[in-house]
Amino acid sequence: MAEVDVVIMAAGKGTRMKSKLPKVLHTLAGRALLAHVVDTASSLQPRNVVVITGHGATEVEAALPGYICDGAEFSVNFARQEPQLGTGHAVQQALPFLPDDAGVVVVLSGDVPLTQVATLRQLVAASGGDKLALLTLELPNPTGYGRIERNGDAVQAIVEHKDATEAQREIREIYSGIMAAPAARLRTWLARLDNRNAQAEYYLTDIVKMAVADGVPVVAHKITDEVQVAGVNSPVQLAELERAYQRQQAVALMEQGVRLADPARLDVRGSLVCGQDVSIDVNCVFEGTVTLGEGVKIGANCVIANASIAAGAIVHPFTHIDGEKAGVTVGADARIGPFARLRPGAVLGADVHIGNFVEVKNSTLGTGAKANHLAYLGDATVGARVNFGAGSITANYDGVNKHRTVIGDDVHVGSNCVLVAPITVGAGGTVGGGSTLTKDAPDGVLSVARGRQVAITGWKRPVKKAQP
Ligand code: UD1
Ligand code: CA
């Protein structure tokens, strides 16, 4: 296959988004629209990706490096288009970055996020390096789009809606905005564009007539899946594409055997990898990279980001897990929630139980450890089978630095205790309810640190004074 270079047009204003944010930085499935397009482009193994920026150029250019995966083999360049004089003018700006050779230039738009790589590969193959290949489809209502004008079967031109005659407006085959063109030819065609048309713009689509005149074959690669070429111009369209994308994710998961209580009430914003017999109740959101082992059950209304949950674990409703960069690990057969919160660096062993209103951050819990109610474990190393009582916390922060709490195996921490870090509670020890420990507690003993209970006899409750 011919060498590929990609031009992504992203200079347009996006007025209908009614937003300060440049249109291509609005997100679909948690990622900028432009990031989806760059991802798709990178799957073509291009030599260069040239992004045409204009409106919000500084913001768009600053955001882009975050979308390019490490070790990408292609170079990314920005070409500014100021002012924006049309799609042909946009692609002209990319020319300094494109080799003048036998390669193929693929033109994409930064606001069309759901094109499949396979479709683009077919388009590049259709071009073959010496033909102009257009991605087209038939629409019941083609209003606004460029129409594919044919003579018999042969494509003659693309006529923009505003320039079209009544008869041309009857044509239902439209140009998607995506093409693959022979690089050297494209260069000569772009040099010949003019703006003598209804919009006084330099139309990229005018190159079709030029190709026909030059005897370069023009092929239309017609698809039927509208979602692949649908652009985002408004919040309504953005939401529609989000639903289409989420529907695809849900179907793919169900085809692998995942049981979804309702495919319309699942959002995957990243990658969700599931073992066999996973079930997910309604209204769950998965972000970043999430792995669910065999038989994992996720209750309703959970938000889970950057976490790995081992086989047999159950996450009860309304649990929030966010591993951020450090990740969260939940061991096999653990029970989490309802209303639990696991934060970065929470590493829970097998059979751990974390109950309602319990927060765990940067802490390791050994096999079978339990914190079932109203507790905070931060910067702690908790041994196996520890029971951490209701209302107890590790005081890990002195206002300046964080310190570690170490709790040995088989410790029982009573209710409403404060373990002031740095501190160690020795294995097998018991901490009496209501204790505030500031010193290490030895192995195997009962440590109590609270005011002793006293019984005051003869004490009288106050009585209500008589009104004057
Ligand atoms: C274009 C096509 C039309 C096609 C339609 C598909 C032309 C002349 N027309 O329509 O045949 O049916 O796409 O959606 O190409 N952009 C720039 N700089 C500019 C103008 C546009 O970067 O000066 C970018 C926009 O940000 C957008 C893309 O190009 O990402 C397409 O622009 P848009 O205005 O949506 O396309 P149309 O001209 O309406
Ligand atoms: Ca458009």
Side-chain angles (χ1 to χ4, degrees), residues 57-404:
T58 331
E59 260 181 282
V60 174
E61 290 167 15
L64 196 75
Y67 312 148
I68 296 153
C69 30
D70 296 338
E73 305 261 308
F74 54 90
S75 74
V76 177
N77 297 287
F78 298 105
R80 288 215 183 168
Q81 186 200 15
E82 275 154 356
Q84 290 81 40
L85 303 178
T87 51
H89 180 249
V91 179
Q92 280 171 355
Q93 312 312 308
L95 287 177
F97 302 100
L98 300 177
D100 184 8
D101 62 8
V104 171
V105 176
V106 175
V107 178
L108 304 174
S109 291
D111 57 359
V112 178
L114 299 183
T115 317
Q116 283 168 21
V117 180
T119 302
L120 295 183
R121 290 214 179 97
Q122 287 156 7
L123 192 70
V124 171
S127 160
D130 58 358
K131 294 181 278 302
L132 175 60
L134 309 172
L135 189 64
T136 73
L137 78 170
E138 304 232 354
L139 289 182
N141 177 10
T143 304
Y145 290 97
R147 307 297 207 284
I148 303 294
E149 197 176 37
R150 291 175 184 259
N151 184 358
D153 250 5
V155 175
Q156 294 301 303
I158 297 174
V159 185
E160 291 305 310
H161 181 88
K162 288 189 177 141
D163 298 285
T165 61
E166 281 308 313
Q168 286 167 329
R169 287 183 182 180
E170 295 296 312
I171 300 171
R172 287 177 37 231
E173 187 183 7
I174 62 104
Y175 169 55
S176 65
I178 295 174
M179 63 166 69
R185 293 287 195 169
L186 178 65
R187 197 172 279 274
T188 67
W189 296 329
L190 289 174
R192 285 151 53 193
L193 289 179
D194 63 52
N195 64 353
R196 291 192 296 269
N197 52 55
Q199 301 181 82
E201 281 183 11
Y202 294 87
Y203 291 163
L204 177 62
T205 44
D206 279 351
I207 71 169
V208 175
K209 286 185 282 226
M210 299 179 188
V212 172
D214 288 354
V216 173
V218 180
V219 288
H221 179 65
K222 204 196 278 189
I223 61 169
T224 53
D225 181 10
E226 213 180 310
V227 164
Q228 289 198 51
V229 300
V232 172
N233 296 301
S234 66
V236 169
Q237 288 172 343
L238 180 60
E240 282 167 0
L241 285 194
E242 177 79 40
R243 283 308 102 205
Y245 176 86
Q246 293 302 343
R247 175 79 201 169
Q248 289 170 5
Q249 305 298 299
V251 168
L253 287 167
M254 291 187 293
E255 281 171 353
Q256 289 159 31
V258 176
R259 261 96 70 195
L260 300 177
D262 182 354
R265 282 183 286 171
L266 169 80
D267 283 78
V268 180
R269 302 171 188 157
S271 106
L272 174 61
V273 176
C274 295
Q276 200 170 29
D277 287 312
V278 163
S279 69
I280 301 173
D281 209 332
V282 297
N283 291 334
C284 291
V285 178
F286 296 88
E287 296 175 339
T289 304
V290 177
T291 310
L292 306 179
E294 200 175 308
V296 165
K297 289 184 167 57
I298 308 291
N301 302 300
C302 289
V303 176
I304 301 180
N306 297 310
S308 174
I309 300 179
I314 297 179
V315 179
H316 291 294
F318 296 100
T319 291
H320 186 230
I321 300 178
D322 189 356
E324 295 176 22
K325 286 200 172 75
V328 163
T329 306
V330 174
D333 301 313
R335 298 283 177 271
I336 313 296
F339 300 102
R341 180 171 186 210
L342 305 182
R343 294 176 51 206
V347 178
L348 314 185
D351 291 310
V352 162
H353 290 192
I354 299 294
N356 42 227
F357 309 108
V358 174
E359 173 181 351
V360 182
K361 186 219 76 177
N362 191 31
S363 294
T364 304
L365 276 70
T367 304
K370 294 183 176 64
N372 273 325
H373 330 267
L374 303 159
Y376 174 59
L377 283 161
D379 304 304
T381 304
V382 178
R385 298 171 302 280
V386 164
N387 187 76
F388 199 75
S392 291
I393 66 161
T394 55
N396 58 325
Y397 184 52
D398 60 16
V400 187
N401 294 302
K402 304 243 170 91
H403 303 282
R404 225 168 161 83

